Amino acid sequence: MSLSYSYPGIYIDEKDTGARPIQGVTTTTAAFIGLAPKADANRLKVKPVNSFGEFCDVFGATSETPNILANAVYGFFANGGSRCYVVNLGDDGPIDPALELIEPLDEVAMVAAPGRSDIASTSTLLAYCERVGDRFAILDAPGPDKVDLDALVRVGQEKGSATAVGDAPAGEAPGLRPPISQRGFGAQYFPWLLGRDALNPSRRDPIRMPPSGHVAGIYARTDTQRGVFKAPANEIVRGATGLAQSLTNSEQGKLNQAGINCIRYFSTQGILVWGARTLAPQGSNWTYVNVRRLVLFIEQSIYRSTGWVVFEPNDRPLWKSLRRDVSAFLTLLWRRGALMGATAEQAFFVKCDEETNRPENVDRGIVTTVIGIAPVKPAEFVVFEIGQMAGPGAGQ
């Protein structure tokens, strides 16, 4: 509203600057799929859960045998998770119906089916996350018993395919590794964990648990304490008292090259997640978990905060507004250490002008913004070059 200047003095006229800050989306919410302690409890219904006690209230608090889903959800909250969604399959059938149920939930950033390490399930999870494009799959490696590491690094095939699981060469175990994810939408963890049963902590012997629930909690903890750009590795696995299978450095080297993240015991530090790779091809831009998840975070934050652009006049003022808002968002990320570069110009660029918006596209109602970022990658291999130097008086 314009002011009427009728008397001498000071006038204040509030103006809308037009700036629309881009809000970062949540990255700490997980979705878990499995068989609940009470098999018929809320079967094939999505239920939000904010604590392990709430999970027990909704899905049952007792089980004659250790329940994989319950222990995974417990591990999630024990390791730093604060909110998740749970779908009780009610049986050991395919996970596809549950994935359809959680698809509309844009809050979900991680998906896991604890204990479902068969090729059919891991392939389905990876394909689902690649198709939906806004969430990341956390996969369990086979377990709980000792696994042939040579088989673990070979890509397996679903039964009925041209090269089925049962078609492994004579004398070789069938391949157990999930298929390659071209864009790195999932990561796998090995081995299974040992720990107390969450529903029966008085049980004398430790039980074996798939790691995906605990790892999802570590993702959430790292995101909260450091940021989604920090690799969720070199982190203590809370609630784990041992490992189902110990690994040497050379054995981990073999698994690491295949994109399988190991959980290791170190005498001075305890049980740690000791890997941060996706299931992308070797040499891919999507090799590291934190890079894939950072890009997802940026994409979804921009996508959900720029709905105001639709139907705006497609001309220079709009292009300038997009450059301003996206640049401000990326500058904040750079200052937090998410992007690499001594200056913001080295860390990212945002281009939305006559070059990216040609007249023929403007006529079709299309506005295009080109964004480039330089994500920070983890220091996976730390090398110290040590040599000897001559002491004082040498050669005299």
Side-chain angles (χ1 to χ4, degrees):
M1 183 179 69
S2 60
L3 296 177
S4 175
Y5 305 108
S6 59
Y7 63 87
I10 306 299
Y11 291 80
I12 297 177
D13 187 6
E14 295 182 350
K15 296 289 186 181
D16 186 353
T17 63
R20 298 172 175 84
I22 292 175
Q23 301 295 324
V25 297
T26 180
T27 60
T28 61
T29 304
F32 295 107
I33 299 166
L35 179 61
K38 188 177 180 182
D40 59 348
N42 295 289
R43 183 176 181 273
L44 288 179
K45 294 181 180 178
V46 181
K47 291 294 181 179
V49 174
N50 298 300
S51 68
F52 182 65
E54 186 175 345
F55 171 88
C56 293
D57 292 340
V58 175
F59 294 103
T62 60
S63 178
E64 293 183 3
T65 59
N67 182 266
I68 286 178
L69 181 61
N71 282 287
V73 173
Y74 176 82
F76 173 72
F77 288 112
N79 281 279
S82 59
R83 179 173 171 82
C84 66
Y85 289 88
V86 179
V87 180
N88 174 25
L89 288 174
D91 55 36
D92 292 325
I95 62 175
D96 305 70
L99 293 174
E100 293 178 7
L101 292 173
I102 65 173
E103 186 165 337
L105 304 174
D106 60 10
E107 182 185 356
V108 171
M110 303 172 276
V111 184
R116 299 293 292 266
S117 57
D118 57 287
I119 297 299
S121 296
T122 55
S123 300
T124 299
L125 271 174
L126 280 175
Y128 163 79
C129 288
E130 289 180 341
R131 177 178 62 81
V132 177
D134 65 354
R135 52 202 65 179
F136 189 83
I138 302 176
L139 309 177
D140 293 310
D145 299 321
K146 188 173 182 179
V147 177
D148 180 351
L149 300 186
D150 289 330
L152 193 59
V153 301
R154 288 197 301 272
V155 175
Q157 301 290 329
E158 291 189 56
K159 292 181 179 179
S161 64
T163 308
V165 169
D167 297 337
E172 282 192 6
L176 301 176
R177 184 186 184 275
I180 289 174
S181 174
Q182 292 295 334
R183 295 189 293 152
F185 270 85
Q188 188 180 47
Y189 291 83
F190 175 83
W192 284 37
L193 310 173
L194 301 181
R196 290 188 174 185
D197 186 355
L199 297 181
N200 188 6
S202 62
R203 189 187 300 271
R204 177 175 299 178
D205 298 325
I207 65 168
R208 302 191 176 200
M209 306 172 288
S212 57
H214 296 67
V215 170
I218 290 172
Y219 278 32
R221 183 172 83 214
T222 306
D223 290 358
T224 301
Q225 295 179 350
R226 298 285 300 278
V228 69
F229 55 87
K230 163 66 173 66
N234 198 0
E235 294 286 339
I236 292 176
V237 184
R238 299 172 185 166
T241 60
L243 299 172
Q245 187 168 344
S246 297
L247 297 168
T248 65
N249 288 337
S250 60
E251 288 173 335
Q252 178 171 9
K254 179 189 297 185
L255 298 178
N256 194 59
Q257 292 302 309
I260 299 170
N261 298 313
C262 296
I263 302 173
R264 301 279 303 273
Y265 169 75
F266 298 94
S267 60
T268 58
Q269 298 166 285
I271 297 173
L272 304 176
V273 173
W274 206 245
R277 293 197 172 198
T278 70
L279 290 166
Q282 288 194 38
S284 167
N285 287 331
W286 307 112
T287 295
Y288 295 107
V289 171
N290 58 302
V291 173
R292 171 73 274 178
R293 296 185 68 236
L294 171 65
V295 173
L296 283 177
F297 168 74
I298 292 173
E299 290 174 349
Q300 293 305 307
S301 298
I302 293 174
Y303 171 74
R304 297 178 196 178
S305 295
T306 54
W308 65 270
V309 172
V310 182
F311 299 119
E312 286 293 305
N314 194 358
D315 203 352
R316 289 167 183 79
L318 177 64
W319 304 343
K320 181 180 179 180
S321 295
L322 282 170
R323 291 196 305 270
R324 175 198 61 210
D325 294 349
V326 175
S327 295
F329 174 63
L330 294 178
T331 298
L332 289 175
L333 286 178
W334 168 67
R335 287 174 177 166
R336 290 184 60 197
L339 303 177
M340 188 172 186
T343 64
E345 290 74 18
Q346 293 176 350
F348 67 86
F349 69 81
V350 181
K351 190 172 180 60
C352 185
D353 52 23
E354 293 87 349
E355 186 177 342
T356 64
N357 294 283
R358 307 297 298 173
E360 57 270 23
N361 284 338
V362 173
D363 290 341
R364 294 167 58 198
I366 300 172
V367 58
T368 301
T369 304
V370 178
I371 302 169
I373 62 171
V376 174
K377 297 179 180 179
E380 185 179 20
F381 307 106
V382 180
V383 179
F384 293 96
E385 295 187 358
I386 303 174
Q388 297 185 37
M389 59 180 290
Q396 294 181 4

